[in-house]
């Protein structure tokens, strides 16, 4: 594994590219929009500068990391000579399936195709290609440069060899890989999303307010942030998408998204990315001010 491609320069994509590049891998960061690539590289630079200020790395390491990243707007140019491609596009099944069909056509036969999906079936994605044995899930946690966990998800056809290769590669990145099987939500989101959804239900039913719910979970359960703040950080649209995947996959009403969550997404109140969710981020990205509708 020497040449890596990452598809998507958003929050997860640029974080994955950062981690590989910092660990000495050559990375092609691919996105259809040059503006997204520019923004992604600016984020990587900012995060490296933050690491310098904390004396985690020095200036030479920053420059070496940035030198390891090349950007592309053309998919074929960005992936044709890579050993591993990690897709980190938006959490939309149709988009992901098309990306994997395209990757299957333009990548070398031996290239491993991974997806950073947080809930969509690896088996279904693999079935869109002629190499399902080489398709695997690498679910990094956000923020990628900091969080240690990587969920390694085996599809129905994923080979033992590919699984072992990706497990070992994750360790070389300084991560802790955990192998799980391919069921809706995997492990992390199968447990996390019902908790977030139940927190929203608790608010919806008037049991307690936003700050009160988050305070109970932070101080009572030692969570670093409350579930409503975490939902804002993840993106309420992403939370809704994951819950819908689990609800469709299991046909179990316990995964049905709360009506309040559905309405907030329809209204464009998506959390930090839209400046308002359960909290108002117009003055600070920290969850300091509860959104006006919940006061």
């Amino acid at each position: 594994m020497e040449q890596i491609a990452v598809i998507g320069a958003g929050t997860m994509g640029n974080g994955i590219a950062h981690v590989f590049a910092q660990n000495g891998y050559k990375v092609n960061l691919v996105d259809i929009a040059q503006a997204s690539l520019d923004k992604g590289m600016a984020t990587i630079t900012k995060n490296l500068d933050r690491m310098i200020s904390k004396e985690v790395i020095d200036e030479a390491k920053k420059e070496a990391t940035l030198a390891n990243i090349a950007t592309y707007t053309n998919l074929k140019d960005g992936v044709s000579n890579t050993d591993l491609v990690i897709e980190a596009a938006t959490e939309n099944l149709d988009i992901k399936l098309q990306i994997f069909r395209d990757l299957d056509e333009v990548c070398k036969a031996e290239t491993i195709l991974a997806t950073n999906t947080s809930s969509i079936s690896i088996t279904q994605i693999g079935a869109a290609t002629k190499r399902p044995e080489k398709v695997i899930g690498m679910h990094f946690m956000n923020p990628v440069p900091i969080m240690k966990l990587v969920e390694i998800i085996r599809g129905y056809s994923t080979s033992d060899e590919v699984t072992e290769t990706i497990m070992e590669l994750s360790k070389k990145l300084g991560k802790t890989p955990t192998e799980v099987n391919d069921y809706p939500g995997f492990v992390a989101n199968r447990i996390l999303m019902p908790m977030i959804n139940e927190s929203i239900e608790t608010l919806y039913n008037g049991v307690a307010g936003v700050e009160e719910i988050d305070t109970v979970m932070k101080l009572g359960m030692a969570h670093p942030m409350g579930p409503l703040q975490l939902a804002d950080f993840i993106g309420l649209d992403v939370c809704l998408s994951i819950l819908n995947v689990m609800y469709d996959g299991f046909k179990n009403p316990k995964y049905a998204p709360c009506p309040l969550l559905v309405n907030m997404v329809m209204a464009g109140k998506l959390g930090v990315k839209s400046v308002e969710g359960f909290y108002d981020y117009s003055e600070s990205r920290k969850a300091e001010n509860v959104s006006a509708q919940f006061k």
Side-chain angles (χ1 to χ4, degrees), residues 5-6 12 23 31 34 42-43 56 62 68 85 109 129 140 157 159 189 202 206 232 238 241 256-257 266 275 295:
V6 179
M12 297 305 294
N23 283 277
D31 199 293
Q34 184 62 48
T43 298
V56 176
K62 169 192 168 181
N68 280 336
V85 179
T129 75
F140 290 83
S157 302
S159 71
N189 282 315
T202 303
D232 276 353
V238 176
S241 175
M266 286 194 295
V275 193
K295 288 185 177 178

Side-chain angles (χ1 to χ4, degrees), residues 14-293:
N14 71 61
I16 294 168
H18 173 162
V19 168
F20 272 97
Q22 189 176 322
N23 283 277
Y25 293 90
K26 296 295 183 182
V27 181
N28 294 345
L29 184 58
V30 184
D31 199 293
I32 58 173
Q34 184 62 48
S36 295
L37 290 169
D38 293 342
K39 184 178 179 181
M41 291 303 298
T43 298
I44 293 170
T45 302
K46 180 180 177 181
N47 288 337
L48 289 167
D49 286 337
R50 185 179 293 116
M51 295 174 78
I52 290 174
S53 69
K54 294 180 179 180
E55 299 183 344
V56 176
I57 63 171
D58 57 20
E59 186 68 31
K61 185 66 172 179
K62 169 192 168 181
E63 295 304 321
T65 299
L66 292 174
N68 280 336
I69 305 174
T71 60
Y72 294 83
T73 54
N74 182 280
L75 181 70
K76 184 176 181 180
D77 292 344
V79 306
S80 59
N81 197 35
T82 55
D83 303 305
L84 168 68
V85 179
I86 304 172
E87 171 273 321
T90 186
E91 194 73 351
N92 178 289
L93 176 61
D94 292 337
I95 291 174
K96 289 186 185 295
L97 291 180
Q98 188 56 57
I99 289 173
F100 274 80
R101 292 187 194 103
D102 293 341
L103 290 173
D104 195 40
E105 292 295 322
V106 298
C107 290
K108 298 182 298 185
E110 59 269 28
T111 301
I112 296 173
L113 305 181
T115 173
N116 183 59
T117 181
S118 54
S119 61
I120 294 171
S121 169
I122 307 304
T123 301
Q124 187 174 7
I125 291 173
T129 75
K130 299 181 183 68
R131 61 180 92 189
E133 74 285 354
K134 288 183 168 21
V135 176
I136 195 166
M138 290 186 79
H139 180 208
F140 290 83
M141 304 293 124
N142 186 25
V144 181
I146 296 173
M147 300 293 279
K148 290 292 186 181
L149 176 67
V150 184
E151 271 189 307
I152 306 299
I153 307 104
R154 293 185 65 140
Y156 188 83
S157 302
T158 308
S159 71
D160 291 342
E161 180 183 1
V162 165
T163 302
E164 183 60 31
T165 296
I166 296 303
M167 292 284 285
E168 289 303 313
L169 176 64
S170 300
K171 292 175 185 177
K172 291 176 181 177
L173 298 176
K175 302 298 185 185
T176 301
T178 302
E179 182 181 337
V180 304
N181 290 318
D182 186 22
Y183 292 95
F186 315 134
V187 171
N189 282 315
R190 184 168 178 174
I191 295 170
L192 174 63
M193 286 302 154
M195 183 192 74
I196 286 176
N197 197 45
E198 193 62 31
S199 302
I200 300 171
E201 285 277 3
T202 303
L203 176 65
Y204 180 58
N205 292 327
V207 178
V210 170
E211 286 184 302
E212 288 76 13
I213 291 167
D214 278 354
T215 297
V216 166
M217 296 306 291
K218 285 189 288 185
L219 300 185
M221 311 303 166
H223 290 192
M225 66 174 71
L228 299 177
Q229 180 188 358
L230 179 57
D232 276 353
F233 182 70
I234 294 169
L236 301 192
D237 53 338
V238 176
C239 293
L240 178 59
S241 175
I242 295 169
L243 283 164
N244 280 330
V245 166
M246 292 196 294
Y247 184 53
D248 291 342
F250 291 116
K251 306 297 190 242
N252 189 324
K254 75 178 182 180
Y255 299 115
C258 176
L260 175 57
L261 174 61
V262 175
N263 280 345
M264 290 180 71
V265 172
M266 286 194 295
K269 307 297 185 182
L270 308 181
V272 176
K273 71 173 102 176
S274 70
V275 193
E276 185 179 0
F278 294 105
Y279 293 88
D280 185 330
Y281 302 93
S282 57
E283 296 180 2
S284 171
R285 288 178 63 87
K286 297 180 180 179
E288 298 173 330
N289 301 309
V290 173
S291 178
Q293 75 178 98

